Amino acid sequence: MKIGIIGIGRLGALIARYLSQDFKIIAYDQNYSAPLAKKMGIEWGEFDEICEQKIIIPIVPISAFENVIREMAPKLKPGTLVIDVCSVKILPSEIMLRYLPQHTQILATHPMFGPDSAKDTLFGKKVALCPIRIESEILNNLKKYLANNSINVIETTPDKHDQEIAHSLVLTHFIGRALIDYDAKPLEIDTLGYRRLMKILKTVENDTWQLFIDMNKYNPYAAEVRTNFLKALSNINEKVG
């Protein structure tokens, strides 16, 4: 079986590398090329060719997601499974339901890892699955495949995902970006706590600014989490002062 991937950025390349161990991968990216695909051990195809596959994973920024889904929709065959990997789940789920034909299947996912944290192994990593419109047998087979590769599966809803990720991911990136803007650096005289802060900085420094903007802009719970966190910092600062 071939799996079609649209978008070979850092995350797309990572997912393609791991999936290519078990499946044939055919990929498309506006900024990619056949020689690079060959070097990665995957096949290069045009957009329409990707849309002919039984499983398609669009790995594009959420800001570009709607346009890609709209372009894909009329080209898909009956039974095609579309799997998104956006860091928010409510909006892409709504977009896929709005544009993808009824004869297609939809699974919203969020791999809880990235090119840095999973560069060596997927062992023990997490992935959130939000079944939107998918046959139970296909979903169960997918869950078994992930479990067999030592990936922890969390089955949830788009709303619950976005609520929790606003705390666990958006807040982490918010703190990490603040540390970068603050120009925090490794110090000779430090503490374990400070080194842990530096790990947060390292977690986000290789991610794009677009990813940071998108996870805040398109998660309906992000603004409240940021506001409450800033209030807590202000309260603590007043107590110290």
Side-chain angles (χ1 to χ4, degrees):
M1 178 191 296
K2 281 186 182 180
I3 294 179
I5 293 179
I6 299 173
I8 301 291
R10 294 184 74 228
L11 181 60
L14 179 78
I15 290 176
R17 175 163 65 88
Y18 280 114
L19 287 178
S20 65
Q21 297 173 9
D22 300 302
F23 304 96
K24 292 182 179 180
I25 303 299
I26 180 169
Y28 167 80
D29 190 297
Q30 289 181 330
N31 301 313
Y32 213 56
S33 64
L36 285 175
K38 185 177 181 180
K39 185 177 180 181
M40 290 177 61
I42 63 177
E43 185 180 341
W44 172 252
E46 295 300 326
F47 187 88
D48 286 3
E49 192 175 0
I50 305 302
C51 294
E52 295 176 356
Q53 308 310 313
K54 291 183 178 180
I55 299 177
I56 304 171
I57 310 175
I59 310 177
V60 298
I62 184 64
S63 52
F65 187 76
E66 183 170 359
N67 287 338
V68 170
I69 293 298
R70 288 178 65 180
E71 188 176 353
M72 286 173 52
K75 307 175 187 294
L76 302 180
K77 296 178 179 179
T80 298
L81 172 60
V82 178
I83 304 174
D84 92 285
V85 295
C86 296
S87 59
V88 296
K89 292 274 67 78
I90 294 175
L91 182 60
S93 298
E94 291 175 346
I95 289 172
M96 289 188 287
L97 280 172
R98 185 183 312 138
Y99 294 108
L100 296 181
Q102 285 289 328
H103 62 63
T104 59
Q105 303 193 60
I106 301 170
L107 179 63
T109 79
H110 182 192
M112 307 299 293
F113 53 82
D116 296 318
S117 61
K119 63 181 179 180
D120 298 320
T121 181
L122 291 176
F123 183 84
K125 300 297 186 292
K126 296 180 181 180
V127 61
L129 302 183
C130 302
I132 306 300
R133 187 172 68 211
I134 182 171
E135 295 175 11
S136 58
E137 182 179 358
I138 293 175
L139 178 62
N140 289 334
N141 287 339
L142 179 59
K143 288 160 70 174
K144 287 178 183 177
Y145 172 76
L146 294 171
N148 288 339
N149 283 274
S150 301
I151 298 174
N152 297 323
V153 174
I154 304 168
E155 190 169 339
T156 185
T157 65
D159 187 74
K160 185 178 180 183
H161 169 277
D162 283 5
Q163 286 187 51
E164 295 197 10
I165 210 70
H167 293 273
S168 61
L169 181 66
V170 177
L171 184 58
T172 299
H173 276 249
F174 190 63
I175 294 170
R177 288 289 172 181
L179 289 170
I180 292 172
D181 200 55
Y182 176 75
D183 198 26
K185 296 177 180 178
L187 299 171
E188 182 178 2
I189 303 174
D190 64 2
T191 63
L192 178 59
Y194 186 79
R195 291 196 294 274
R196 286 172 176 165
L197 280 177
M198 293 305 297
K199 284 186 177 180
I200 295 177
L201 185 156
K202 291 292 184 182
T203 299
V204 306
E205 67 177 358
N206 291 328
D207 290 325
T208 64
W209 181 253
Q210 183 67 55
L211 174 64
F212 179 64
I213 293 297
D214 286 351
M215 71 171 65
N216 279 276
K217 180 178 180 180
Y218 297 106
N219 187 322
Y221 300 100
E224 181 182 3
V225 168
R226 295 196 313 269
T227 298
N228 290 339
F229 180 69
L230 290 173
K231 285 180 180 178
L233 287 178
S234 180
N235 291 337
I236 293 171
N237 190 51
E238 287 180 8
K239 291 178 180 178
V240 171

